[in-house]
Amino acid sequence: DAGITQSPRYKITETGRQVTLMCHQTWSHSYMFWYRQDLGHGLRLIYYSAAADITDKGEVPDGYVVSRSKTENFPLTLESATRSQTSVYFCASSSPGQGKEQPQHFGDGTRLSIL
Amino acid sequence: AQKITQTQPGMFVQEKEAVTLDCTYDTSDPSYGLFWYKQPSSGEMIFLIYQGSYDQQNATEGRYSLNFQKARKSANLVISASQLGDSAMYFCAMRPDSGGYQKVTFGTGTKLQVIP
């Protein structure tokens, strides 16, 4: 089925470990995004990508790395996880342009706990 | 800089009643879009409705409508005939028409609980 898939749905890891969250979309959307959701903050943009091999920082990029070698995949890596990175992570995608035809479509989220 | 304010952290509504979720925004961009998303307890984010800043009419999508008052910079979501399945977090978001998707700003959300 077409859509946006995140994996894993749940992850527990320890501080200092590297962890990668995966995101795959089948719509061929050019734009992809990573957000984190924390209580009292809503969603905050970590990184986004306008196309394959084009990525840029969002509001809270420190401690994260992204890549986009293929249009459909946009993995997010925590190079050395810290407790402050415990959060729910959402991947989203969108086609370019304006208007109601171009909302962001979100994955189901990854709940990440760092002990 | 943009800002979205949702002043109601939580709300209750009786089943079959209408409810309004407040959203005010601040932006210097002359043209922008406003979005509402629903997040049920299962966690996914579901797009509900969109309003463009230059749209002449308020947006409607089924039981959802957006009460857009540009001069007051408000974009309240109205849910008519509430159902138990409407219990969820609701997020307001804004994106300027210039500058791209990286400028989407979300509010902190309102938790709606529908009472039988």
Side-chain angles (χ1 to χ4, degrees), chain A residues 89-107:
Chain A
Y89 291 84
F90 284 98
C91 180
S93 71
S94 183
S95 57
Q98 302 165 6
K100 66 178 180 180
E101 295 82 12
Q102 288 83 30
Q104 290 172 300
H105 297 276
F106 286 81

Side-chain angles (χ1 to χ4, degrees), chain A residues 9 31 33 35 37 40-43 45 48 90 94-100 102-104 106-108, chain B residues 31 35 37 39 42-45 47 50 61 89 91 95 97-98 100-104 106-109:
Chain A
R9 289 295 312 276
Y31 279 88
F33 312 84
Y35 291 91
Q37 183 180 23
H41 288 279
L43 275 77
L45 183 65
Y48 69 99
F90 284 98
S94 183
S95 57
Q98 302 165 6
K100 66 178 180 180
Q102 288 83 30
Q104 290 172 300
F106 286 81
D108 289 342
Chain B
S31 181
F35 301 80
Y37 287 86
Q39 186 179 41
S42 49
E44 70 271 29
M45 294 283 286
F47 166 68
Y50 167 87
E61 293 286 348
M89 283 288 287
F91 292 92
R95 186 190 79 216
D97 288 343
S98 64
Y101 280 89
Q102 65 274 23
K103 290 190 176 180
V104 174
F106 285 83
T108 53

Side-chain angles (χ1 to χ4, degrees), chain B residues 4-19:
Chain B
I4 296 280
T5 301
Q6 294 181 256
T7 58
Q8 306 152 314
M11 289 190 69
F12 292 91
V13 64
Q14 202 78 33
E15 192 178 9
K16 300 180 184 177
E17 298 288 314
V19 63

Side-chain angles (χ1 to χ4, degrees), chain A residues 49-112:
Chain A
S49 169
D53 297 322
I54 301 174
T55 63
D56 207 347
K57 298 177 180 179
E59 180 185 354
V60 289
D62 293 344
Y64 304 95
V65 175
V66 294
S67 62
R68 193 156 177 218
S69 57
K70 293 184 178 181
T71 301
E72 61 266 31
N73 296 325
F74 191 39
L76 176 73
T77 297
L78 288 66
E79 292 190 303
S80 179
T82 64
R83 290 198 179 93
S84 64
Q85 293 176 308
T86 293
S87 186
V88 180
Y89 291 84
F90 284 98
C91 180
S93 71
S94 183
S95 57
Q98 302 165 6
K100 66 178 180 180
E101 295 82 12
Q102 288 83 30
Q104 290 172 300
H105 297 276
F106 286 81
D108 289 342
T110 294
R111 188 174 294 273
L112 177 64

Side-chain angles (χ1 to χ4, degrees), chain B residues 5-86:
Chain B
T5 301
Q6 294 181 256
T7 58
Q8 306 152 314
M11 289 190 69
F12 292 91
V13 64
Q14 202 78 33
E15 192 178 9
K16 300 180 184 177
E17 298 288 314
V19 63
T20 297
L21 307 184
D22 294 341
C23 172
T24 59
Y25 60 91
D26 191 20
T27 182
S28 57
D29 290 284
S31 181
Y32 48 87
L34 294 151
F35 301 80
W36 276 91
Y37 287 86
K38 172 184 178 181
Q39 186 179 41
S41 58
S42 49
E44 70 271 29
M45 294 283 286
I46 303 166
F47 166 68
L48 294 178
I49 196 168
Y50 167 87
Q51 177 82 45
S53 60
Y54 284 99
D55 290 344
Q56 294 297 317
Q57 292 186 319
N58 286 343
T60 61
E61 293 286 348
R63 293 186 299 110
Y64 304 108
S65 61
L66 206 152
N67 183 3
F68 180 49
Q69 298 186 49
K70 192 172 182 178
R72 293 186 176 184
K73 294 189 175 180
S74 73
N76 298 338
L77 178 70
V78 181
I79 305 174
S80 62
S82 296
Q83 301 172 356
L84 296 178
D86 293 333

